[in-house]
Amino acid sequence: MTKQRNFSQNISCEEAIQRIFPYIDDYLQGTSREELEHHLETCRHCFDRVEFEKLLKSRLRKLNIQQKTNLLQKKIEAIIDKF
Amino acid sequence: MTKEEQQEFKTLVLPHLEELHRTAYHLCHVRCNAEDLVMETVTKACEKFRNLREKTKIKHWLLRILSNTFISSYRSQKGLTMVEYTETTHDDGGGFSLFAELSQPFLLWWGNPERELVNKLMDEEIQKAIGELPQEFRLAIVLCDVEGLSYDEIATMTDVPIGTVRSRIARGRSLLQKKLYHYAQDLGLIHAGRKIHDKAKEFQSEH
Ligand SMILES: [Zn+2]
C-alpha cells in the first residue's frame, strides 16, 4: 500500500478506494479517473481490489433465474388483450 | 387500445419480458410476487402507452414503471420480505469489503481466497443476500449490477439525484458483501482461509 503523496496527482489508498465503485461502473471521469488510474499503476493492493470488485460485479450480471417466462407471457398477453 | 395498438404493444413489450421478470425476481426474491410485479407493471404500461413518445426507449420506460411500482405499492404489502428502512438508520455494511477481509497479500502461495469465494457462491446464495438488502439499496444493486444500467439511467428511473444513486450502490455493495461473508462463514467456505489470514494480520502488525 502506498501512503505517501509525492506528486500533486498522487492520491492515497483511502481516496482511491472511495473512487473504485464509480470507476468500475464507468461513472468516474476526468481528473478523478486519471488520478485513480495513476494510483492503480503503482499500488498493487488497490489494483487487486479493483479486479475483485469487477469480478463480483460480473458475477451478479450472470445471475440466472430458474423460472420460465412462458406462462407469464400468456398472462401478460391476456392482460394486453383486455385493454 | 385498438387491435393494432394491442399488437404493437405486444411486439414492443414481449421481447423485454424476460428482463422485466428477471429484474422483478431479484427485487422480490419470491417468484409469485415477481410475476405479480411484472403483471402490475404491464397493466400500468397499457394505461400509459398512448403517452409514450419514444418507443425505442420502451425497455427503460418499462423498468421505470416496474421500479416505481416496486417502491410504492410493494413497500407496504404484507408477505414480502421487506422492512421499512430509512437511508440513515439501517445497517449499510459500514464500508465492509470482502476483499479487505479475505485477501492475503503476504501469502502468495495461498492463491486468491476472495476470488475463490466468489466462484464458489451459488446463484441462490447471492440472490438470497440481494433479497435481504433494504429496498432502496436492492433496487440500486439490481439495476446497476444485475441489469447493467448506468448511474444516469438509474437516477432517471428511480427519481433520485445521481449522488444518491452512487451512495446507495456503494452502501448496497458493502452490505451485500457483508452478508455474503456471513453466508460463506456459515457454509464453511472461508473457515480455513481465515485462520491463516488472521496469522498474516498478526504478522503484519508485529513487523
Ligand atoms: Zn492503493
Side-chain angles (χ1 to χ4, degrees):
Chain A
M1 282 210 254
T2 53
K3 282 264 156 77
Q4 67 272 49
R5 302 184 60 162
N6 299 329
F7 306 99
S8 60
Q9 82 261 40
N10 274 10
I11 55 169
S12 67
C13 287
E14 276 118 49
E15 286 170 293
I17 285 165
Q18 291 296 316
R19 297 181 198 180
I20 285 178
F21 287 145
Y23 176 69
I24 65 160
D25 296 329
D26 230 7
Y27 176 69
L28 200 66
Q29 300 298 331
T31 316
S32 295
R33 189 180 181 94
E34 283 163 23
E35 285 172 347
L36 178 64
E37 282 174 342
H38 177 77
H39 182 86
L40 297 179
E41 281 167 20
T42 52
C43 179
R44 173 74 193 269
H45 183 263
C46 289
F47 177 83
D48 284 348
R49 180 148 174 186
V50 166
E51 291 305 302
F52 174 75
E53 297 299 346
K54 281 185 191 166
L55 174 78
L56 192 56
K57 185 178 160 87
S58 68
R59 179 70 186 81
L60 263 62
R61 193 83 175 92
K62 286 181 203 136
L63 283 178
N64 265 313
I65 63 168
Q66 269 81 48
Q67 279 72 39
K68 295 265 179 285
T69 309
N70 306 5
L71 189 66
L72 179 62
Q73 178 160 341
K74 290 209 173 71
K75 291 181 190 172
I76 294 295
E77 288 185 78
I79 291 173
I80 298 170
D81 287 335
K82 277 182 207 155
F83 270 88
Chain B
M1 285 200 276
T2 63
K3 277 263 180 275
E4 289 73 33
E5 280 174 322
Q6 284 175 344
Q7 201 46 52
E8 187 194 9
F9 189 73
K10 281 182 194 172
T11 315
L12 286 167
V13 170
L14 294 179
H16 303 294
L17 191 58
E18 211 169 308
E19 198 162 356
L20 286 178
H21 190 201
R22 210 169 89 108
T23 307
Y25 178 84
H26 291 296
L27 289 175
C28 296
H29 192 60
V30 183
R31 185 181 160 243
C32 58
N33 292 328
E35 288 205 349
D36 288 348
L37 179 54
V38 175
M39 291 198 284
E40 204 173 328
T41 300
V42 173
T43 305
K44 284 183 184 170
C46 283
E47 288 162 1
K48 295 176 180 176
F49 184 52
R50 283 191 174 137
N51 306 333
L52 177 67
R53 286 189 199 150
E54 292 181 82
K55 293 193 171 125
T56 50
K57 290 186 177 168
I58 186 120
K59 188 186 102 178
H60 284 181
W61 183 68
L62 290 167
L63 279 175
R64 185 186 161 91
I65 298 175
L66 188 137
S67 301
N68 287 335
T69 309
F70 168 71
I71 288 289
S72 60
S73 68
Y74 280 69
R75 188 190 291 256
S76 54
Q77 276 188 21
K78 283 179 184 173
L80 285 171
T81 53
M82 227 178 270
V83 186
E84 283 293 335
Y85 290 95
T86 66
E87 295 271 341
T88 47
T89 55
H90 58 67
D91 182 9
D92 63 359
F96 185 92
S97 154
L98 267 180
F99 178 84
E101 278 306 310
L102 294 175
S103 77
Q104 295 169 23
F106 304 101
L107 294 160
L108 296 174
W109 67 86
W110 185 255
N112 285 302
E114 72 280 7
R115 297 182 79 88
E116 279 168 31
L117 173 63
V118 173
N119 296 326
K120 274 184 204 160
L121 284 167
M122 309 292 278
D123 276 11
E124 298 76 56
E125 285 145 15
I126 300 175
Q127 277 157 357
K128 185 166 177 270
I130 294 174
E132 286 173 1
L133 293 175
Q135 63 172 7
E136 296 91 344
F137 294 177
R138 195 185 328 159
L139 184 60
I141 294 293
V142 168
L143 294 177
C144 179
D145 289 344
V146 182
E147 296 306 326
L149 300 179
S150 71
Y151 287 14
D152 286 305
E153 289 167 334
I154 299 168
T156 315
M157 220 166 265
T158 55
D159 286 321
V160 294
I162 205 147
T164 308
V165 172
R166 182 177 164 168
S167 97
R168 283 180 184 176
I169 287 168
R171 294 162 74 189
R173 280 188 186 142
S174 170
L175 189 55
L176 180 69
Q177 292 189 16
K178 196 175 182 181
K179 287 180 185 297
L180 291 176
Y181 180 77
H182 289 140
Y183 286 168
Q185 268 185 327
D186 292 346
L187 294 164
L189 292 175
I190 51 173
H191 188 64
R194 280 296 290 173
K195 277 184 186 161
I196 291 173
H197 177 60
D198 289 343
K199 287 211 177 79
K201 269 193 171 168
E202 280 166 33
F203 181 85
Q204 189 183 359
S205 59
E206 282 167 14
H207 294 83

mmCIF file with all atom_site columns, all heavy atoms in Angstrom, chain A residues 13 39 43 46, ligand 1:
data_model
loop_
_atom_site.group_PDB
_atom_site.id
_atom_site.type_symbol
_atom_site.label_atom_id
_atom_site.label_alt_id
_atom_site.label_comp_id
_atom_site.label_asym_id
_atom_site.label_entity_id
_atom_site.label_seq_id
_atom_site.pdbx_PDB_ins_code
_atom_site.Cartn_x
_atom_site.Cartn_y
_atom_site.Cartn_z
_atom_site.occupancy
_atom_site.B_iso_or_equiv
_atom_site.pdbx_formal_charge
_atom_site.auth_seq_id
_atom_site.auth_comp_id
_atom_site.auth_asym_id
_atom_site.auth_atom_id
_atom_site.pdbx_PDB_model_num
ATOM   1  N  N   . CYS A 1 13 ? -4.453 5.561  -0.689 1.00 0.00 ? 13 CYS A N   1
ATOM   2  C  CA  . CYS A 1 13 ? -5.271 4.360  -0.872 1.00 0.00 ? 13 CYS A CA  1
ATOM   3  C  C   . CYS A 1 13 ? -6.712 4.626  -0.448 1.00 0.00 ? 13 CYS A C   1
ATOM   4  O  O   . CYS A 1 13 ? -7.647 4.153  -1.087 1.00 0.00 ? 13 CYS A O   1
ATOM   5  C  CB  . CYS A 1 13 ? -4.701 3.195  -0.070 1.00 0.00 ? 13 CYS A CB  1
ATOM   6  S  SG  . CYS A 1 13 ? -3.192 2.523  -0.791 1.00 0.00 ? 13 CYS A SG  1
ATOM   7  N  N   . HIS A 1 39 ? -2.851 5.851  -9.661 1.00 0.00 ? 39 HIS A N   1
ATOM   8  C  CA  . HIS A 1 39 ? -2.658 5.144  -8.394 1.00 0.00 ? 39 HIS A CA  1
ATOM   9  C  C   . HIS A 1 39 ? -2.625 3.628  -8.629 1.00 0.00 ? 39 HIS A C   1
ATOM   10 O  O   . HIS A 1 39 ? -1.810 2.913  -8.049 1.00 0.00 ? 39 HIS A O   1
ATOM   11 C  CB  . HIS A 1 39 ? -3.766 5.512  -7.408 1.00 0.00 ? 39 HIS A CB  1
ATOM   12 C  CG  . HIS A 1 39 ? -3.625 4.862  -6.058 1.00 0.00 ? 39 HIS A CG  1
ATOM   13 N  ND1 . HIS A 1 39 ? -2.862 5.413  -5.052 1.00 0.00 ? 39 HIS A ND1 1
ATOM   14 C  CD2 . HIS A 1 39 ? -4.108 3.694  -5.570 1.00 0.00 ? 39 HIS A CD2 1
ATOM   15 C  CE1 . HIS A 1 39 ? -2.895 4.615  -3.989 1.00 0.00 ? 39 HIS A CE1 1
ATOM   16 N  NE2 . HIS A 1 39 ? -3.661 3.562  -4.280 1.00 0.00 ? 39 HIS A NE2 1
ATOM   17 N  N   . CYS A 1 43 ? -0.033 0.923  -7.205 1.00 0.00 ? 43 CYS A N   1
ATOM   18 C  CA  . CYS A 1 43 ? -0.460 0.254  -5.971 1.00 0.00 ? 43 CYS A CA  1
ATOM   19 C  C   . CYS A 1 43 ? -1.124 -1.088 -6.277 1.00 0.00 ? 43 CYS A C   1
ATOM   20 O  O   . CYS A 1 43 ? -2.250 -1.139 -6.759 1.00 0.00 ? 43 CYS A O   1
ATOM   21 C  CB  . CYS A 1 43 ? -1.410 1.157  -5.177 1.00 0.00 ? 43 CYS A CB  1
ATOM   22 S  SG  . CYS A 1 43 ? -1.986 0.373  -3.663 1.00 0.00 ? 43 CYS A SG  1
ATOM   23 N  N   . CYS A 1 46 ? -4.603 -1.823 -4.272 1.00 0.00 ? 46 CYS A N   1
ATOM   24 C  CA  . CYS A 1 46 ? -5.823 -1.222 -4.827 1.00 0.00 ? 46 CYS A CA  1
ATOM   25 C  C   . CYS A 1 46 ? -6.145 -1.811 -6.198 1.00 0.00 ? 46 CYS A C   1
ATOM   26 O  O   . CYS A 1 46 ? -7.315 -1.979 -6.548 1.00 0.00 ? 46 CYS A O   1
ATOM   27 C  CB  . CYS A 1 46 ? -5.687 0.300  -4.908 1.00 0.00 ? 46 CYS A CB  1
ATOM   28 S  SG  . CYS A 1 46 ? -5.733 1.075  -3.277 1.00 0.00 ? 46 CYS A SG  1
HETATM 29 ZN ZN  . ZN  C 2 .  ? -3.656 1.928  -3.021 1.00 0.00 ? 1  ZN  C ZN  1
#
